Amino acid sequence: MKLALRIAYDGTAFYGFQRQPDVRTVEGELLRILTRLGIIKDVESSDFKGASRTDRGVSALFNVVSFVPGERADLARPEVLNHHLMDAWVLGVAEVPDEFHPRFWAKSKTYRYYLVNEGFEREKMEECAELFTGEHDFSAFAKLEPGKDPIREVTRVGIEERQGYYVIEIEGKSFLWEMARRMVNAIRFCGLGILEPAEIRRMLNGEYTKKVPSAPPEGLILWRIDYPGLSFRTDEKGLRKAKRDLFERYSRVLTRAALLGDALLEL
């Protein structure tokens, strides 16, 4: 039997997803709790895998890890795991086939970026966003790793205007390192008149001297991963703990935002 966990986390509390020596990461936190509870023995024997290696500061509402549990598989429940985890939450569990791989079995991933409205020209933002859809060479919009194919397909880029900010939603099969954040900054630059759509088109055609810098990681969240035919079951106690923790964070940030907003208005 193999299990998959749907996990969420506050990326500002971690040095990214992938485990690293001497720093706190999402994967490291999960492994610490899973081994301490006896759900797995170690990484190798459990075939522990993750769907997306989000960067430092990037959050997730829907990331996935899978593993082969040991003797205490019964403890792999949101109610139990969320009691022990800090800054991360298990939102569901599913039994999956032995050959399941959370990264390769994903049909698509959706990222959201929350962007404060700086007086953008929305039509320009949408015009630039539309250029990213389809299959392109994203070398100008990513931090390339050796051996990684820069050709990626983006299936959708949506822009939603809300009170005081925008939500930019990007969906695709797979993403390069910093690709989503650099796309967001390109759309932002278009909205500010710093970049023109024609320049984005040329960059996607490989005509560039400088890459678009990445937007700050704190505004990005891995919102959803689609797995056809796979559903994650949860329990009320585990979900209630996650909601309570998230509301506490929301309250603190909202209070601080209100304070700083009034200070700006006073100046």
Side-chain angles (χ1 to χ4, degrees), residues 183-210:
M183 287 173 62
V184 165
N185 231 7
I187 294 169
R188 173 175 169 264
F189 288 164
C190 286
L192 293 172
I194 298 171
L195 278 177
E196 292 297 323
E199 295 177 86
I200 300 295
R201 190 178 291 107
R202 285 196 295 270
M203 295 175 82
L204 289 170
N205 288 330
E207 302 172 27
Y208 65 93
T209 55
K210 289 185 179 180

Side-chain angles (χ1 to χ4, degrees), residues 125-196:
M125 294 173 74
E126 291 177 339
E127 188 178 351
C128 289
E130 182 62 28
L131 294 173
F132 287 116
T133 59
E135 190 173 86
H136 303 285
D137 183 337
F138 282 91
S139 297
F141 303 94
K143 196 171 184 178
L144 296 180
E145 299 173 88
K148 287 281 187 179
D149 186 355
I151 306 297
R152 289 291 187 273
E153 182 180 8
V154 171
T155 55
R156 183 176 62 89
V157 181
I159 298 177
E160 179 185 352
E161 186 174 0
R162 298 187 184 176
Q163 187 69 37
Y165 65 97
Y166 283 84
V167 178
I168 300 177
E169 199 166 87
I170 304 171
E171 182 177 356
K173 169 69 175 176
S174 62
F175 291 79
L176 298 165
W177 191 5
E178 295 186 354
M179 177 176 151
R181 289 196 280 137
R182 290 175 188 254
M183 287 173 62
V184 165
N185 231 7
I187 294 169
R188 173 175 169 264
F189 288 164
C190 286
L192 293 172
I194 298 171
L195 278 177
E196 292 297 323

Side-chain angles (χ1 to χ4, degrees), residues 238-258:
L239 196 58
R240 190 162 57 242
K241 171 68 162 54
K243 287 180 178 179
R244 185 169 63 248
D245 289 352
L246 286 170
F247 182 76
E248 288 176 359
R249 284 166 170 75
Y250 171 76
S251 299
R252 289 198 299 268
V253 173
L254 190 62
T255 301
R256 186 68 176 165

Side-chain angles (χ1 to χ4, degrees), residues 223-240:
W223 193 252
R224 185 174 61 254
I225 304 179
D226 289 328
Y227 295 96
L230 182 61
S231 61
F232 292 84
R233 65 184 184 276
T234 189
D235 54 62
E236 188 56 38
K237 285 187 177 179
L239 196 58
R240 190 162 57 242

